[in-house]
Amino acid sequence: MALKITFLGTGTSQGVPVIGSNHPVCLSDDSKDKRLRVSILVSWDDCNFVIDCGPDFRQQMLTNKVAALEAILFTHEHSDHTAGIDDIRPFFFKQGDIPIYAHKKVVKALKKRFSYIFDEKNRYPGAPAVEINYVKRGVDFTLGGKTIIPVQALHNRLKVFGYRIDDFTYLTDVKSISDKEVEKIMGTKILVVNALRKEPHHSHFNLEEALAFVARIKPEKAYFTHISHVMGFHAEVEKGLPENVHLAYDNLTVEI
Ligand SMILES: [Zn+2]
Ligand SMILES: [Zn+2]
């Protein structure tokens, strides 16, 4: 069962271009400089799930012609990773309650912001509904016959979860990670990790930190995501990277 990864979005929280920006990267004609909010689609056989469900979710599902969704896995509660949850409605109408996998603090935040989705007693006609599955550090779970290993990291002081599936690991919004969690991803062949920009940032790896992390994990290939316009033009940054490391771009697919 080969895994297929589709990068649905590779941009940081505002996306690229940024609204109203005259930055040269925001004005670029290169499609690789256009980045929706970060998310990936993971597929094998007829199983499809997404990691995160940001404000560009609807557009991402349409562009990639996704017709069914097994589940949504959440990394953390920030809006750029969760704000699209209302747009699961077409999947909900076809499939019923959509399984979500999230840490309890993420579920708590979603319940506050999208109370109508979680109100089991008073379902509003037309509102979507979800089936909650709690993600816990150290507790693996199964999706479509594959084991999913949650990997905990820190986004400044906020806990975030990445996921390992077979020899693929996806981590975003990471600033630091413990040695114990790093052990869980050793042996990964394809690693996706966030690299915001060249300048340091309080809650994200910058390019240098992301490269150091790749050097530590030693995957066959690494892709950077959650990229800001200030990182620079895709084509130029790409030229400066080691041979097995790439900037991801929207709609890139990778098979494992
Ligand atoms: Zn983010
Ligand atoms: Zn975040």
Side-chain angles (χ1 to χ4, degrees):
M1 288 190 286
L3 279 184
K4 185 181 170 198
I5 309 301
T6 307
F7 287 88
L8 301 172
T10 58
T12 188
S13 56
Q14 297 186 79
V16 185
V18 172
I19 295 173
S21 168
N22 289 321
H23 188 282
V25 173
C26 293
L27 301 175
S28 166
D29 289 330
D30 185 349
S31 64
K32 291 178 182 170
D33 287 321
K34 311 240 176 272
R35 303 183 186 278
L36 296 179
R37 265 59 69 85
V38 77
S39 173
I40 57 164
L41 177 72
V42 183
S43 327
W44 64 86
D45 297 342
D46 52 7
C47 179
N48 262 333
F49 68 86
V50 288
I51 302 183
D52 289 330
C53 179
D56 298 316
F57 177 74
R58 175 177 176 274
Q59 195 181 337
Q60 291 163 335
M61 294 300 97
L62 290 172
T63 301
N64 291 282
K65 299 187 167 54
V66 181
L69 206 56
E70 208 84 10
I72 303 170
L73 277 55
F74 286 103
T75 58
H76 65 301
E77 60 270 44
H78 283 162
S79 258
D80 54 324
H81 301 256
T82 58
I85 193 168
D86 186 69
D87 281 321
I88 61 171
R89 294 170 73 221
F91 295 114
F92 166 72
F93 294 145
K94 273 202 283 192
Q95 301 171 213
D97 295 13
I98 302 297
I100 63 166
Y101 291 76
H103 187 266
K104 64 174 191 262
K105 74 181 172 65
V106 178
V107 173
K108 200 175 157 197
L110 289 173
K111 279 185 173 172
K112 205 168 154 189
R113 290 169 53 203
F114 300 94
S115 56
Y116 62 96
I117 295 179
F118 293 86
D119 190 350
E120 279 173 33
K121 286 189 198 120
N122 263 319
R123 284 196 173 188
Y124 182 80
V130 294
E131 171 208 305
I132 303 168
N133 299 275
Y134 290 99
V135 170
K136 271 175 90 174
R137 181 183 190 168
V139 182
D140 302 348
F141 54 94
T142 309
L143 250 183
K146 282 193 188 288
T147 301
I148 316 285
I149 303 171
V151 180
Q152 192 185 287
L154 288 174
H155 184 26
N156 195 334
R157 283 159 61 194
L158 185 78
K159 277 181 199 158
V160 297
F161 279 94
Y163 299 96
R164 177 174 184 165
I165 309 127
D166 293 343
D167 289 332
F168 170 72
T169 299
Y170 182 80
L171 289 168
T172 189
D173 295 56
V174 172
K175 177 64 180 180
S176 62
I177 180 167
S178 72
D179 292 346
K180 211 174 157 205
E181 295 301 296
V182 165
E183 264 174 45
K184 296 179 185 171
I185 58 178
M186 282 301 183
T188 288
K189 289 185 181 144
I190 307 271
L191 172 69
V192 178
V193 68
N194 57 299
L196 184 73
R197 63 189 189 190
K198 288 165 189 152
E199 292 294 309
H201 188 272
H202 69 96
S203 64
H204 285 276
F205 278 163
N206 67 354
L207 185 58
E208 191 185 333
E209 290 164 325
L211 284 167
F213 188 66
V214 171
R216 184 171 175 199
I217 307 299
K218 299 183 179 66
E220 286 174 11
K221 269 191 180 166
Y223 294 89
F224 293 155
T225 192
H226 211 292
I227 297 162
S228 161
H229 63 290
V230 298
M231 175 72 97
F233 292 105
H234 179 94
E236 281 178 20
V237 177
E238 182 74 17
K239 269 188 241 162
L241 297 177
E243 211 182 332
N244 64 332
V245 182
H246 303 280
L247 291 191
Y249 52 88
D250 289 18
N251 305 315
L252 166 69
T253 60
V254 177
E255 293 213 13
I256 305 158

